[in-house]
Amino acid sequence: MEEIRGLVARIIYRNEDNIYTVFELETEEGTLTCTGYPPAVREGESCALEGDYVSHPLYGDQFRVQSYTPLPPENTQALLRYLSSGAVKGIGQALAARIIRKFGEDSMRILDEEPERLAEVKGISARGAREIAAALEGQKDFRDAMIFLQKYGIGGRQAVKIWETYGMRLYTVLKENPYQLADEIRGIGFATADAIAARAGIRADSDFRIRSGLVYVLGQALGEGHCCLPVPVLTGRTASLLELPAETVEIQMRNLAVDRRLQIRMKEGEAFASDASVFRTEQQTARMLLELSGRAETGGRDRVEKKIRDLEDREGIRLDDLQRRAVETAVSHTVFILTGGPGTGKTTTIRTIISYLEAEDQEVLLAAPTGRAAKRMTEATGREAMTIHRLLGVRARPEEETGDRMLTDFDRDGDNPLEADAVIVDEMSMVDVFLFHSLLKAVMPGTRLILVGDEDQLPSVGPGCVLRDLTRSGVFPALRLEKIFRQAAKSDIILNAHRILRGETPVLDNQSRDFFFLERRDVQVIYKHMVDLMRDKLPGYVGCRPLEIQVLTPMRKGALGVETLNGVLQSVLNPPARGKREYKRQDTVFREGDKVMQTRNNYQAEWEIRGNFGIPIEKGTGIFNGDCGVVEEIDEQAGTMQVLFDEEKTVVFPLTDLDDLDLAYAVTVHKSQGSEYPAVLLPLLSGPQGLMNRNLLYTAVTRARSLVVILGSREAVAAMTANVQQYVRYTGLEDRIRELVIVESTD
């Protein structure tokens, strides 16, 4: 890093949301354009900058600022420019000149130490002097805080958030309990708080540190999909993180349980710990489900059977025994779970259930976890389906206490329930416990809830394993479809998917029209053939564009992991070109024309659908985990990147807010859930045993609509098919359901 000094001549652009600033700095060598996130920068101010020189393809040479330190004006001319810039509220150009004439070289000291003497200047009253003094003090406090936080590696919007949250209390917080930052300010994690604590002299075995470490580990586990952890796992992970004895950690874990921040429950002789809020979510979910569950009035079994036969005749279909039983059970109960793999007739069964209920003049709502899954449901049923978020009316609101964080909320809840007689949710394996909890709050007792999914697919990206827990509880009516129908049996994708489920290696003889295997053991050769297939051969064969073909891989790291594959594919499918703008964020280069994916729900992201001439015709909020799009425009001068999601929703992201966007030429199989692609390329050589399993291979194969191509070794495919080991996901919903059933049965 280099250091330069100069005077801030002009602020060209400033984004108040993310503090991204473009400004001109006058130095001894001339005027230089600077960019970065210095929250305290002011026109007319002298400063010292640390950073690097960069060459922007559109705007030329610039200085990218990493740290900003304001300096006192070196002389009266510099002070006059500073005061004339409007940096100090209440002082304009004429008044600044009079102050300089009155106090000369002593002006800066007067402003800092005796601002009340400004009343000696013509045009400044005693009250005006006090107001200027207050403005100067506020600016000084803010600037000092920014410089102080910068020493701890905190800058930009994070530093401003800390100031807005604590004000002058931030010094006390950092001195006494820096871990508050991780608890109370979004975007500041345990590692940052721990580094600050170490600099502040907080003991490594302090109660604050251990408690914060426990909360952090549980939060990390939640990100991995767990709703709880075995107590030995929690204490072991925390002890390893903090480099402390497990016994010391366990004491604070028990104290957190006493404070009701943790819940500890026994299951089959083993203790499990969960965050109290997560435990309550599972408990409330179980209670609401049990309140919904019951028998529905149908007029008798004979009437139901006759209506089903009439529907079969009218619609020209024939249900098998399991499908017919599924329809009977769905219309006779208020909660019903339907599962089954591809080609087993789930769609026909759902359509029949919908037709039955509509014939009974019942209002039916259809929903799925993602936009793509909802679109598939619409195409399959001929009725409009929407995302669960849209069904519930997702919105973001400021946190009441500080207004700093945006909290997720839904318009539909117990006070404003869904107006429907039945709600059918598809792709339930993708629904996490928090989204399911929100859905149940909006479904009133008496409303039918029909949950459809494939238990053999990977669990939800978010925490929980809802579909599995509901079926394993044995409390709710559930039925699994197993027969593969004649039309589906023509697809080798479906036949091989079921072979995989049975533990049989899929047929790899290349006699198929929709399932191919290319034996390739050299990674570089796999890259070459993958590009050749995506760019030249498959678009014409499948009838799609290259960006619609999806590479799926089990892992993020390694030669055939997401990170490496995206770099390889981007370099060929969307290489650098003159006039094509790009922006580097950490190790990722985003380029106009890139395929990208949202990796976390962003409820406050604003989108708009644009009509002719770019005029917005619809607006809304919310971009969700798994949504894919294309980078349309990067404007580094404005600090923004524009992405078009699902060929309709335009979102403008600040360049500081790209942490939840990844390149998506290749994605993990887990991230592909709920999506369907014209063609799937699956590179398989080797990988962690916990990932290279039957469950993952089955999920990957079933993401393809028209074509699967596996590139790799037969041994890898056979090993995955044989590996029934799945990643263990610790959840408590099944136990909460059974506990409540036991309580109700003893009342």
Side-chain angles (χ1 to χ4, degrees):
M1 271 198 306
E2 299 190 45
E3 180 179 288
I4 58 173
R5 294 183 176 227
L7 186 97
V8 180
R10 182 167 70 100
I11 293 179
I12 300 170
Y13 170 81
R14 185 178 181 86
N15 186 320
E16 293 300 336
D17 290 331
N18 60 25
I19 318 298
Y20 180 80
T21 308
V22 181
F23 60 97
E24 289 182 350
L25 187 77
E26 287 186 3
T27 68
E28 293 181 357
E29 289 76 26
T31 302
L32 178 65
T33 300
C34 302
T35 65
Y37 304 88
V41 65
R42 297 283 188 275
E43 282 187 0
E45 194 167 60
S46 299
C47 62
L49 307 177
E50 286 188 349
D52 300 294
Y53 287 97
V54 295
S55 181
H56 192 281
L58 201 60
Y59 303 112
D61 292 338
Q62 296 180 341
F63 190 80
R64 187 170 289 171
V65 179
Q66 298 296 325
S67 71
Y68 173 94
T69 305
L71 301 172
E74 297 178 351
N75 49 50
T76 54
Q77 184 178 359
L79 179 59
L80 178 62
R81 288 192 64 172
Y82 173 66
L83 294 176
S84 300
S85 69
V88 182
K89 187 178 178 181
I91 299 179
Q93 190 169 359
L95 201 53
R98 290 204 294 273
I99 291 171
I100 299 298
R101 281 199 300 271
K102 175 68 177 177
F103 299 114
E105 297 286 346
D106 205 27
S107 298
M108 198 67 230
R109 187 193 66 77
I110 295 291
L111 288 168
D112 282 342
E113 300 174 11
E114 301 178 85
E116 67 279 358
R117 287 188 58 191
L118 290 174
E120 299 174 20
V121 177
K122 184 179 178 182
I124 302 179
S125 64
R127 180 181 175 182
R130 288 194 297 272
E131 290 175 351
I132 292 171
L136 283 167
E137 187 63 29
Q139 281 192 7
K140 183 175 182 299
D141 290 342
F142 174 74
R143 207 162 47 233
D144 289 348
M146 295 302 104
I147 296 169
F148 176 79
L149 292 170
Q150 197 169 265
K151 294 176 183 176
Y152 291 99
I154 304 172
R157 185 60 185 158
Q158 279 190 343
V160 175
K161 280 183 180 179
I162 294 173
W163 172 259
E164 290 173 347
T165 304
Y166 302 116
M168 293 299 288
R169 275 200 316 120
L170 72 87
Y171 300 100
T172 304
V173 169
L174 292 179
K175 180 180 178 182
E176 295 180 356
N177 181 17
Y179 299 99
Q180 264 184 261
L181 301 179
D183 290 341
E184 298 176 355
I185 300 179
R186 186 182 178 190
I188 295 181
F190 175 81
T192 300
D194 203 33
I196 294 171
R199 290 184 182 128
I202 303 292
R203 286 165 49 99
D205 62 351
S206 75
D207 294 354
F208 290 134
R209 183 169 187 259
I210 298 172
R211 289 182 175 215
S212 183
L214 284 161
V215 171
Y216 171 76
V217 168
L218 277 176
Q220 291 293 101
L222 200 65
E224 297 167 7
H226 303 298
C227 293
C228 56
L229 284 178
V231 164
V233 174
L234 174 59
T235 54
R237 285 190 185 185
T238 308
S240 176
L241 171 73
L242 304 179
E243 297 181 342
L244 291 172
E247 298 78 13
T248 306
V249 172
E250 190 164 350
I251 292 170
Q252 291 307 322
M253 183 194 66
R254 302 292 175 186
N255 289 339
L256 282 174
V258 171
D259 292 342
R260 297 188 177 182
R261 292 190 62 186
L262 294 185
Q263 282 283 347
I264 299 177
R265 284 289 190 274
M266 299 297 296
K267 178 182 178 180
E268 299 175 358
E270 187 175 9
F272 287 81
S274 58
D275 180 271
S277 65
V278 178
F279 179 87
R280 285 193 298 272
T281 297
E282 289 187 315
Q283 195 173 54
Q284 291 166 7
T285 298
R287 182 176 291 111
M288 288 187 289
L289 264 175
L290 290 170
E291 288 172 354
L292 280 177
S293 184
R295 300 283 303 188
E297 179 56 44
T298 61
R301 183 173 180 179
D302 290 344
R303 180 176 180 271
V304 172
E305 289 178 347
K306 182 179 183 307
K307 285 187 68 67
I308 293 174
R309 286 196 300 271
D310 291 344
L311 281 171
E312 288 180 286
D313 292 339
R314 190 171 72 236
E315 299 187 10
I317 59 171
R318 275 293 169 261
L319 304 176
D320 74 354
D321 290 341
L322 273 179
Q323 287 178 304
R324 193 172 289 109
R325 220 171 87 207
V327 177
E328 291 174 4
T329 311
V331 301
S332 304
H333 294 80
T334 49
V335 174
F336 173 62
I337 303 164
L338 178 66
T339 63
T344 56
K346 288 201 305 290
T347 299
T348 300
T349 306
I350 294 169
R351 281 203 302 257
T352 308
I353 293 170
I354 295 170
S355 296
Y356 186 106
L357 295 174
E358 288 179 341
E360 296 281 284
D361 293 325
Q362 301 226 340
E363 178 73 21
V364 182
L365 294 177
L366 308 182
T370 67
R372 290 192 174 196
K375 186 176 180 182
R376 287 172 58 196
M377 196 179 188
T378 298
E379 293 168 351
T381 63
R383 279 86 165 176
E384 182 189 5
M386 62 187 77
T387 64
I388 298 173
H389 292 89
R390 184 180 165 201
L391 180 74
L392 298 179
V394 67
R395 57 189 169 88
R397 59 177 175 80
E399 189 177 31
E400 291 181 4
E401 291 183 8
T402 66
D404 175 60
R405 290 188 296 177
M406 297 298 288
L407 303 179
T408 305
D409 215 342
F410 294 99
D411 291 328
R412 296 291 187 175
D413 55 19
D415 296 325
N416 182 28
L418 292 168
E419 298 172 2
D421 300 296
V423 177
I424 302 178
V425 183
D426 198 8
E427 296 286 359
M428 268 300 298
S429 63
M430 294 180 61
V431 177
D432 65 52
V433 68
F434 293 121
L435 183 57
F436 191 51
H437 176 262
S438 296
L439 173 65
L440 291 178
K441 287 199 295 184
V443 179
M444 290 297 96
T447 304
R448 284 181 176 83
L449 181 63
I450 299 167
L451 308 174
V452 185
D454 184 348
E455 286 182 88
D456 296 307
Q457 287 191 27
L458 293 170
S460 57
V461 175
C465 208
V466 174
L467 184 61
R468 181 201 69 185
D469 284 358
L470 296 187
T471 54
R472 287 188 182 178
S473 73
V475 172
F476 308 103
L479 194 144
R480 178 186 176 97
L481 301 177
E482 294 180 341
K483 176 183 175 182
I484 301 175
F485 284 83
R486 185 184 307 167
Q487 189 64 30
K490 296 178 182 178
S491 166
D492 286 311
I493 294 174
I494 290 175
L495 292 177
N496 276 328
H498 285 275
R499 287 189 183 101
I500 291 166
L501 281 184
R502 294 193 299 267
E504 302 169 10
T505 302
V507 176
L508 306 176
D509 59 7
N510 289 336
Q511 300 301 305
S512 169
R513 295 177 61 86
D514 63 5
F515 201 103
F516 294 93
F517 173 74
L518 302 180
E519 182 91 30
R520 302 290 185 270
R521 296 174 180 273
D522 185 295
V523 170
Q524 297 298 325
V525 174
I526 289 177
Y527 293 160
K528 178 180 180 301
H529 284 278
M530 197 179 294
V531 169
D532 188 36
L533 289 166
M534 292 181 73
R535 186 177 57 187
D536 302 322
K537 294 184 177 178
L538 294 188
Y541 184 80
V542 179
C544 69
R545 294 168 295 168
L547 286 186
E548 293 180 277
I549 298 167
Q550 189 61 59
V551 175
L552 301 182
T553 177
M555 56 221 134
R556 288 198 60 84
K557 304 290 184 181
L560 293 179
V562 164
E563 294 174 4
T564 302
L565 285 174
N566 271 320
V568 170
L569 296 173
Q570 181 195 44
S571 68
V572 179
L573 299 176
N574 189 32
R578 186 176 181 84
K580 187 184 289 184
R581 291 173 290 188
E582 60 184 50
Y583 177 77
K584 185 174 183 180
R585 185 216 67 196
Q586 297 176 0
D587 295 327
T588 302
V589 174
F590 290 104
R591 188 173 295 134
E592 291 174 340
D594 274 336
K595 181 179 180 180
V596 294
M597 173 183 277
Q598 180 76 14
T599 60
R600 184 187 298 179
N601 291 342
N602 184 339
Y603 300 103
Q604 55 260 34
E606 298 179 352
W607 54 262
E608 58 185 31
I609 297 174
R610 299 173 179 175
N612 294 334
F613 309 109
I615 299 172
I617 57 176
E618 185 181 343
K619 293 185 178 183
T621 58
I623 295 295
F624 304 108
N625 193 349
D627 286 353
C628 284
V630 175
V631 177
E632 290 193 310
E633 181 180 68
I634 295 173
D635 189 340
E636 198 166 350
Q637 195 77 356
T640 59
M641 185 168 85
Q642 181 173 297
V643 179
L644 181 66
F645 285 96
D646 294 326
E647 301 182 349
E648 60 174 9
K649 295 179 180 178
T650 298
V651 179
V652 179
F653 292 95
L655 291 178
T656 53
D657 194 20
L658 302 181
D659 290 343
D660 299 334
L661 276 179
D662 273 348
L663 295 175
Y665 299 98
V667 302
T668 62
V669 177
H670 221 132
K671 286 291 186 185
S672 72
Q673 289 182 93
S675 297
E676 187 180 72
Y677 311 100
V680 163
L681 302 185
L682 187 58
L684 297 175
L685 277 179
S686 62
Q689 189 176 10
L691 288 176
M692 305 289 283
N693 59 41
R694 182 185 300 175
N695 192 220
L696 187 138
L697 180 60
Y698 169 78
T699 302
V701 166
T702 55
R703 296 309 89 207
R705 181 168 63 247
S706 303
L707 182 69
V708 170
V709 181
I710 299 176
L711 303 94
S713 70
R714 293 177 184 273
E715 293 85 351
V717 177
M720 288 185 75
T721 305
N723 181 14
V724 294
Q725 174 187 338
Q726 293 186 28
Y727 178 73
V728 176
R729 182 168 282 202
Y730 299 110
T731 65
L733 180 58
E734 178 187 347
D735 300 312
R736 304 294 83 79
I737 292 169
R738 288 179 172 171
E739 287 168 359
L740 288 173
V741 169
I742 292 170
V743 169
E744 289 180 2
S745 65
T746 56
D747 285 348

